[in-house]
């Protein structure tokens, strides 16, 4: 990356070094109220994204980094959160944020540390008949947390699909309304997860998939496929739950679907939680 | 509206009255560079919206107000823009912002004044078969300008519709992909315009319309109607242009359509300008 | 409100009445997976907003309405959610959504019903010295839930303030960086709550308040006041917690503050939970 | 990039090849209305961003690609826009989109082709005293156009800065309100432009600059610097205009500044156009 050279605004500082500046943050706080989370957010940074050992991609992530603060301390030191990002050298494995959380706790000793980040990933996807390929965007997010040695990560994956309405198909002499839908999968896992495999399990549960590039033979195929696989938002979250419920690595998951209805200005929404599965 | 009473933070001011405070804005400016527009924006205010003499509705508008500034003056007086809004007493006729612009020029003498505002309007709309009704949202916007007696307004109207793809219909054995689309109509007019009529001319040019409330008989009707009226984004802007081109009150217009494609994550877009009409 | 008359697109329906249309939603579902929430969202509607018995204001709300769905039923009936909104006749008391939830359960018998809505409110606020007044925007939101007779509401209030950095003040020979900050208060309450009073308790906890209209005497006052009341995000959430912790009507609350730092492109954030208060 | 393998949803196509599918888009259009722009937008793609010959960076760009359409043709071929992106192999020099426009015209013969793209860039920036460095985000955008051999590009650059109010400083016994501001520079150029140099000319025209990482010695420096360099939005756009007006490579420019006022919930805005410079 290039370095910006500041023009006509270099700042001359007098002799006073940083050691002489008061440290307001470290003062005692009289209110005796602990802060659960304090830090920085909406910090955009270019990263090398890793999703387990095999997947690597350039992306741009939006970060949040926080620690807890004891009741008797006035404030945290905000610059150290950014230093943690610098120290990671742009390498982020979303399947394991523990090293970053440990670094954060080393720089800012606290009961808890939190890091969240969200970024797009792109997978090359081939059209179903012509085989022509193009990049398909998905969003990944992780919310992580380290507290007294206990490490926890919540993963989120956003996938967009086609949904075709079963009611519209059943009652109409021909055709059915269909639309773009957004699926949000949130999960806890006991081990590294195959993200492209999860994406496939979501896409295959919909009426039809989205593609960046479709020729006419492909458009015919996805149109007919969608009509043959009508799903309500309810069906979509249930199909996905069916595709995921036997994956041993998912210790908890939640599936949300939101359809940008083609016949309304509002959206249809459904949510399934694995907590509602029979034991 | 209720008044917020400030608790434990009343501000005691010393004897210095406002007449003694320096007026930095009125200083001479040495750079000799005129400012085309200066003012306030993203100011949200509840209004009584008028669209001509018959249409009246409560709404919440986002305002921008600006004036031009001569090369020899350092700054404008920002509080006066907000005073203009206060002086309008919440009554805004989007078909005629000239009185507000004149008030702005009276408070802030300048070559030019600009006001823009954008807000939702709601029309009660009946489902096509059951007749059940519900509120339908549209967006209206006006950009106005008064310069040396010359008054100009540009109106914008956003309407959402259903579009069904003619190609998908023609190549598929059954069904066709369809989706929600957004139409943006921008226009100049020589007189007051019937906004609900413009909305109807846009909605009737699409594959089918959106409704807030549809029973099954309605859903059957709109599904079948859309299949019988397939439109590309190109067709949609042309159909709308056809519906508008003979309205004498429109002295210029531009139609944009954007489809949130149900088979792609990107959108299809088309734009027609009345400047391209044969004379 | 005016009614849109559809031009050249009236839909003629054949003899088949709605009674003959199949009801796909009511079919048995073989997957045996219950849906926790299903319904509609992002539905914008003009309302008469009530906050308890005294406060009334026109606003525009964004709604979400949902019910739970048993494992053996294929789908819910989406149009009934919109009918509930129609049946409320635009009258919404955010302090008590129980009647709306009961109406929803009557139309769509289920274990649980959920309604959330978010809208701006405006309070007339006077400048601290000149006394000149203008409208100040705040956001209110409620997430409500009725399950087997158990009724629960979570309220959210967004208030914007000025924050001035204590560290910057302490280390600099003059001035201090300051910025706009956003406070989000979320709470449960045992009774109707005085929203303007909560707003005052938040605003008075900041370095200085925001106003829509400030004359020079006011700007001098708020500038000096902010410098005399520096707060970190940590101080801000603690000051607010101090101002709220003895309100008996709040049975739980959480305070978040986010500063749009004037010296960074990222934001500072802190969160306090009343669960961390000493019992 | 990894390839998604579709699970249980491979699409079997019957014998009908693409050659037999009707080409609806190529049909004659009876309305005889030309389309000024038609194509795809909101297409996110990972790219290798070039800004002239020396600057190279990974980024993620949002694309729009369009062509004009003659009055007698029904529609364009949407998949070819995406194929143009594929054919560029991710290499995009924002200083010269002509090759991409030519490729687009080759695939979709038309009077005009348009490409726009927007993406973040990151420059490593050192804190003014400690010298500690971190990534700083800027946004770049280009709108390009090729019509009958005539090639035109409009560049846009977004830079965020600190602004401190001169009025607040002049009237207050101490301190002054300050805030984050957003500068948008739009320009035409006759040759390749040094983007980091433009950024420096914008940042040095503000009260103080933004940094991702500031230690206390730096925070002291930027706080004091901002107080010594108060600017209204008017001053900011004039200072930038002064810093740019003698650059021969800029054949036209416009500067906008928007301050997220720390004492208001609305923003202050100013705009300067080089068309208003004395000849």
């Amino acid at each position: 990356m290039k370095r910006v050279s500041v023009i006509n605004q270099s700042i001359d500082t007098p002799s006073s070094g940083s050691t002489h500046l008061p440290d307001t943050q470290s003062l005692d706080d009289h209110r005796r109220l602990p802060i659960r989370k304090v830090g920085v957010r909406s910090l955009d940074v270019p990263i090398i994204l890793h999703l387990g050992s095999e997947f690597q991609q350039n992306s741009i992530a939006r970060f949040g980094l926080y620690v807890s603060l004891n009741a008797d301390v006035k404030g945290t030191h905000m610059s150290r959160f950014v230093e943690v990002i610098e120290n990671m050298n742009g390498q982020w494995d979303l399947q394991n944020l523990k090293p970053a959380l440990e670094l954060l706790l080393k720089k800012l000793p606290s009961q808890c540390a939190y890091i969240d980040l969200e970024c797009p990933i792109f997978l090359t996807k081939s059209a179903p008949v012509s085989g022509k390929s193009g990049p398909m965007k998905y969003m990944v997010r992780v919310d992580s947390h380290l507290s007294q040695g206990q490490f926890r990560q919540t993963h989120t994956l956003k996938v967009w699909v086609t949904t075709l309405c079963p009611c519209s198909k059943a009652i109409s002499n021909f055709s059915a309304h269909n639309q773009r839908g957004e699926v949000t999968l949130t999960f806890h896992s006991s081990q590294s997860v195959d993200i492209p495999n999860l994406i496939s399990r979501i896409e295959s549960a919909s009426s039809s998939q989205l593609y960046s590039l479709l020729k006419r033979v492909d458009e015919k195929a996805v149109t007919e496929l969608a009509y043959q696989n009508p799903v309500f938002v309810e069906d979509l979250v249930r199909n996905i739950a069916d595709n995921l419920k036997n994956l041993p690595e998912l210790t908890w998951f939640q599936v949300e679907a939101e359809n940008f209805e083609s016949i309304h200005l509002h959206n249809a929404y459904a949510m399934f939680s694995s907590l509602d599965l029979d034991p």
Side-chain angles (χ1 to χ4, degrees), chain A:
Chain A
M1 274 186 282
K2 295 194 80 173
R3 193 168 293 266
V4 178
S5 47
V6 181
I7 45 170
N8 72 28
Q9 202 185 52
S10 64
I11 301 178
D12 296 318
T13 47
S15 52
S16 64
S18 70
T19 50
H20 305 92
L21 297 178
D23 181 357
T24 315
Q25 286 87 339
S26 300
L27 293 178
D28 181 72
D29 199 89
H30 67 284
R31 283 157 302 201
R32 294 292 185 259
L33 295 169
I35 305 279
R36 197 172 275 202
K37 283 176 83 171
V38 57
V40 299
R41 58 162 52 177
S42 291
L43 180 60
D44 292 345
V45 177
I47 65 167
I48 312 289
L49 165 74
H50 302 261
L51 288 171
S53 57
E54 283 174 49
F55 188 104
Q56 184 178 321
Q57 194 164 96
N58 290 295
S59 192
I60 293 167
R62 174 152 292 188
F63 279 90
L65 301 99
Y66 316 91
V67 294
S68 60
L69 191 69
N70 283 349
D72 58 354
V73 182
K74 186 170 169 68
T76 191
H77 291 85
M78 294 287 182
S79 63
R80 297 186 197 169
F81 296 97
V82 184
E83 285 173 342
V84 166
I85 286 183
E86 280 299 289
N87 291 164
M88 295 297 290
N89 289 315
Q91 303 291 326
W92 290 86
D93 184 348
L94 268 60
Q95 305 261 19
N96 185 13
L97 290 184
K98 203 175 175 192
L101 288 161
E102 286 168 339
L103 185 58
L104 185 49
L105 283 183
K106 208 167 138 192
K107 282 203 171 267
L108 285 162
S110 303
Q111 312 260 220
C112 298
Y114 307 80
I115 297 180
D116 57 71
L117 73 135
E118 184 166 346
C119 65
I121 64 170
F122 292 86
L123 300 181
T124 300
K125 196 173 172 184
S126 299
V129 181
S130 73
K132 294 222 169 194
S133 67
M136 191 67 204
K137 184 177 84 159
Y138 307 92
M139 292 297 292
V140 292
R141 178 182 171 91
V142 59
D143 290 85
S144 70
H145 173 226
L146 183 58
S147 175
Q148 296 167 305
Q150 289 267 34
F151 170 60
R152 187 83 186 254
Q153 292 197 136
T154 304
H155 291 276
T156 305
L157 185 57
K158 277 194 189 288
V159 177
W160 292 270
V161 299
T162 305
T163 59
L164 184 138
C165 179
C167 169
S168 173
K169 176 178 175 179
I171 62 181
S172 303
N173 290 331
F174 35 78
S175 191
H177 76 80
N178 52 77
Q179 53 270 317
R180 200 189 291 165
E182 177 181 278
V183 174
T184 305
L185 170 67
T186 315
F187 62 93
H188 291 152
S189 67
S190 56
Q191 57 188 89
S192 186
V193 166
D194 181 349
I195 297 294
N197 178 261
L198 289 184
I199 290 172
S200 291
R201 285 169 185 264
I202 291 169
E203 292 184 327
S204 64
S206 62
S207 294
S208 179
Q209 309 183 18
L210 304 193
Y211 299 86
S212 63
L213 183 51
L214 291 173
K215 302 305 287 183
R216 250 177 300 155
V217 282
D218 304 308
E219 186 170 352
K220 172 181 166 61
V222 298
T223 300
E224 295 176 355
L225 181 70
Y227 192 69
Q228 290 163 323
N229 291 281
V231 292
F232 289 126
V233 274
E234 296 95 321
D235 294 311
L236 183 52
V237 299
R238 279 170 167 155
N239 286 347
I240 295 168
D242 249 354
N243 282 349
L244 300 178
K245 70 183 180 193
N246 294 321
L247 286 180
E249 60 270 39
L250 299 189
T251 55
W252 166 84
F253 68 88
Q254 175 183 291
V255 187
E256 297 171 279
E258 183 165 354
N259 279 352
F260 308 114
E261 299 284 291
S262 66
I263 61 171
H264 295 299
L265 190 47
H266 57 265
N267 302 335
Y269 172 88
M271 188 265 269
F272 173 85
S273 169
S274 69
L275 297 177
D276 298 334
L277 281 169
D278 284 330

